[in-house]
Amino acid sequence: MKHIIGGKPDEPRSPQAAPVAVRLVEVHPDDAGQRLDNFLMRHLKGVPKTHVYRIIRQGEVRINKGRTSADTRVQPGDVVRIPPVRVSSKPDEAERAVPAREFPLLLDDDVMLAINKPAGVAVHGGSGVSFGVIEQLRRAHPDARFLELVHRLDRETSGILLVAKKRSALTHLQDQFRERETGKTYLALVLGEWPANKKVIDTPLRKYLLPDGERRVRATTADDPEGMRSVSLVKVQRLIPAQHLLGLPAMSLLEVTIKTGRTHQIRVHLASSGHAIAGDEKYGDFDLNKRLAKHGLKRMFLHAWRLQFNHPQTAERVELGAELPPELADFVAAAPAAV
């Protein structure tokens, strides 16, 4: 498809397009269950959120000719009345700042894709990050009707990340995550020798905020009313002996399968067990992290390695794998073998 930019060379461009007429938009099945405010923001790109909420409150937006509210869920076949709104003819500054980017693909079909996310990239914008994986994918695929994150990974965690191309796939996959029907296994390198008989961590976790507002998580007790049950299964894949001349302790490469998906679950479970993840800047050994960086490990050693789920379209069981990225694989390969 060709995109032709019209207009005479000497004709000044107006920064804003003229208001369009009332539009009646029928809800596509892929948008079923979406909140009205989010539905409108997809159709009114460039319009401030405050204005979107205002036209809803004032009754200018109707669903099937009736007044409605921002949290109403649209359904297939609903007709949404969108009033004339002045929309910027140019992308706003934030949108222009998002670079299009493709990521290594592990799976790509009509309803979903799976990527191998590199470390150092947030999955979405927010909390001081202007954009992430999902914004970059949308920029790279402007014709995609629907692209949404199925789940999340920490910024410094690499590995498998699922993205839905249809709302039906999104809800189906998220239901599986919520009902613990997926299998999620990570590789983590931790400090010290992990005891082979410690195979289950069943320790509740509790969120809290630092004085500067940054989010943190800590292990707590079963009688804590704000604690959430969290279960991780641990298997030792390899032991790495101490390297005293380099000032490095013994370390253990673990396979960690999470049965619950709490914020920072693996990081806090392992750290609270006395075996923090190598390179973890929030829950790890900060002085040791500096020594590790000098010897090649410049990031947190946590990688989403294996993922199992039922395909949202075919119901077939899918198993994906993402091998360790070079910066982690090389560090382990260079380490001495246990005697």
Side-chain angles (χ1 to χ4, degrees):
M1 179 184 292
K2 291 184 177 180
H3 296 274
I4 302 173
I5 301 176
K8 299 178 182 178
D10 57 350
E11 196 172 62
R13 286 182 178 270
S14 169
Q16 291 186 321
V20 296
V22 169
R23 285 188 290 158
L24 298 177
V25 179
E26 183 173 343
V27 176
H28 190 276
D30 288 349
D31 294 324
Q34 190 172 32
R35 282 175 55 114
L36 177 62
D37 51 0
N38 293 329
F39 177 84
L40 289 174
M41 286 168 193
R42 290 177 64 86
H43 287 272
L44 296 174
K45 291 183 179 178
V47 175
K49 289 183 179 180
T50 53
H51 189 68
V52 171
Y53 288 112
R54 186 183 306 123
I55 60 177
I56 296 173
R57 285 196 308 270
Q58 293 175 346
E60 296 182 60
V61 176
R62 305 287 180 102
I63 295 180
N64 302 328
K65 300 183 180 180
R67 291 179 70 112
T68 186
S69 59
D71 60 357
T72 298
R73 302 279 177 175
V74 297
Q75 301 302 326
D78 281 350
V79 176
V80 180
R81 178 193 187 273
I82 302 179
V85 177
R86 187 178 295 275
V87 181
S88 173
S89 61
K90 296 181 179 180
D92 61 27
E93 186 176 345
E95 187 178 346
R96 289 197 301 271
V98 178
R101 181 175 178 180
E102 300 285 6
F103 297 89
L105 285 172
L106 302 172
L107 181 152
D108 186 7
D109 60 29
D110 293 340
V111 299
M112 63 175 294
L113 57 86
I115 67 168
N116 190 355
K117 185 187 87 68
V121 183
V123 294
H124 59 73
S127 300
V129 179
S130 57
F131 60 84
V133 169
I134 194 63
E135 290 86 3
Q136 290 180 297
L137 283 174
R138 288 170 181 161
R139 192 62 184 263
H141 301 273
D143 296 331
R145 282 187 52 85
F146 187 92
L147 284 176
E148 293 288 349
L149 292 167
V150 174
H151 61 116
R152 288 164 173 73
L153 292 177
D154 289 345
R155 184 175 183 177
E156 295 307 320
T157 302
S158 54
I160 304 169
L161 181 67
L162 302 185
V163 176
K165 294 182 180 180
K166 291 181 179 292
R167 182 161 295 277
S168 57
L170 176 67
T171 56
H172 192 287
L173 289 166
Q174 287 182 333
D175 285 346
Q176 291 185 58
F177 276 87
R178 189 178 305 110
E179 298 301 322
R180 305 177 190 176
E181 296 172 353
T182 59
K184 295 179 288 183
T185 302
Y186 294 69
L187 291 179
L189 184 68
V190 300
L191 310 180
E193 292 189 11
W194 186 270
N197 61 352
K198 188 174 178 61
K199 298 180 179 180
V200 179
I201 305 174
D202 187 352
T203 303
L205 299 177
R206 176 177 181 172
K207 294 181 183 179
Y208 67 100
L209 296 177
L210 295 178
D212 62 2
E214 187 174 353
R215 180 183 60 181
R216 283 287 195 277
V217 177
R218 66 168 176 259
T220 186
T221 56
D223 58 358
D224 185 342
E226 295 188 33
M228 302 187 72
R229 190 183 183 198
S230 307
V231 180
S232 301
L233 309 182
V234 182
K235 176 183 177 183
V236 178
Q237 187 178 96
R238 178 183 170 187
L239 292 176
I240 298 174
Q243 301 174 73
H244 300 295
L245 293 179
L246 301 180
L248 300 180
M251 291 179 277
S252 306
L253 183 61
L254 307 178
E255 299 176 14
V256 185
T257 299
I258 55 175
K259 294 300 183 180
T260 52
R262 310 302 183 200
T263 300
H264 298 170
Q265 176 174 323
I266 295 176
R267 300 167 69 173
V268 177
H269 265 175
L270 298 180
S272 66
S273 299
H275 300 272
I277 295 178
D280 190 339
E281 295 181 351
K282 289 186 176 178
Y283 306 101
D285 183 322
F286 309 125
D287 291 334
L288 181 56
N289 287 346
K290 293 177 182 178
R291 296 200 298 276
L292 288 168
K294 292 179 181 178
H295 297 289
L297 185 62
K298 302 180 186 299
R299 52 159 287 199
M300 179 173 66
F301 201 121
L302 184 61
H303 177 71
W305 179 49
R306 295 282 185 263
L307 179 61
Q308 297 179 354
F309 57 92
N310 297 325
H311 193 279
Q313 190 173 50
T314 66
E316 293 180 4
R317 194 66 172 172
V318 177
E319 181 171 354
L320 299 176
E323 294 308 313
L324 284 174
E327 70 271 15
L328 300 186
D330 292 347
F331 183 81
V332 172
V339 178

